[in-house]
């Protein structure tokens, strides 16, 4: 498991290059609400956390496979990963964060546009609420 990267995976790098080319700036491998739970890409001012999940590690409904060897070890571990994902999403949403999750097999262009839309929408909503407070 040491060979598995926590950050800078191929799908993540492709998406990061695309959103950077769109002019968006972000934090990488950052814990939005502190602690050990880290998002792959984070827009701190807009409060948007993005996760690009691996199909095996996070239980993709299309591509996940169950290990045949040492299943007593791996199946609970993979189930705990999925449970932790749900707990993380809930904690972030309770803290007023927008959470976006994508699978590693999804089209990077589609992911990048969804991220840009969420970040721009969040920025516009924040600007609107800021003006209302000033008036």
């Amino acid at each position: 498991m040491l060979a598995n990267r926590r950050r800078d995976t191929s799908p993540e790098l492709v998406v990061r290059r695309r959103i950077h080319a769109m002019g968006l700036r972000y934090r990488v491998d950052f814990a939005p609400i502190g602690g050990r739970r880290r998002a792959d890409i984070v827009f701190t001012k807009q409060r948007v956390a993005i996760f690009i999940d691996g199909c095996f590690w996070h239980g993709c409904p299309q591509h996940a496979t169950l290990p045949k060897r040492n299943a007593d070890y791996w199946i609970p571990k993979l189930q705990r990963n999925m449970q932790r994902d749900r707990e993380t999403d809930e904690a972030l949403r309770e803290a007023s964060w927008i959470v976006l999750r994508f699978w590693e097999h999804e089209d990077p262009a589609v992911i990048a546009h969804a991220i840009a839309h969420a970040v721009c929408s969040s920025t516009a909503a924040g600007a609107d609420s800021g003006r209302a407070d000033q008036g």
Side-chain angles (χ1 to χ4, degrees), residues 16-125:
R16 285 182 5 210
R17 283 186 196 111
R18 286 181 178 265
I19 61 176
H20 190 273
M22 292 176 172
L24 300 175
R25 300 300 179 257
Y26 47 83
R27 304 284 305 262
V28 175
D29 191 37
F30 183 76
I33 54 176
R36 297 180 63 192
R37 311 253 173 121
R38 305 175 79 79
D40 297 321
I41 302 167
V42 178
F43 295 88
T44 53
K45 289 181 183 176
Q46 297 85 358
R47 299 178 69 85
V48 177
I50 295 105
F51 298 87
I52 301 175
D53 294 334
C55 292
F56 174 76
W57 295 105
H58 298 273
C60 171
Q62 290 179 314
H63 300 110
T65 58
L66 292 177
K68 292 177 178 65
R69 294 186 183 176
N70 205 7
D72 292 341
Y73 170 79
W74 283 105
I75 291 173
K77 181 172 184 59
L78 297 174
Q79 289 173 340
R80 179 64 183 126
N81 285 351
M82 292 183 279
Q83 180 184 359
R84 189 179 308 110
D85 290 344
R86 289 190 298 272
E87 292 169 359
T88 300
D89 292 352
E90 185 178 329
L92 286 167
R93 287 188 180 111
E94 286 177 3
S96 300
W97 281 77
I98 296 169
V99 180
L100 301 176
R101 283 196 179 269
F102 302 98
W103 293 110
E104 67 181 342
H105 65 266
E106 292 184 65
D107 182 6
V110 173
I111 294 172
H113 286 290
I115 292 170
H117 178 71
V119 169
C120 292
S121 297
S122 178
T123 302

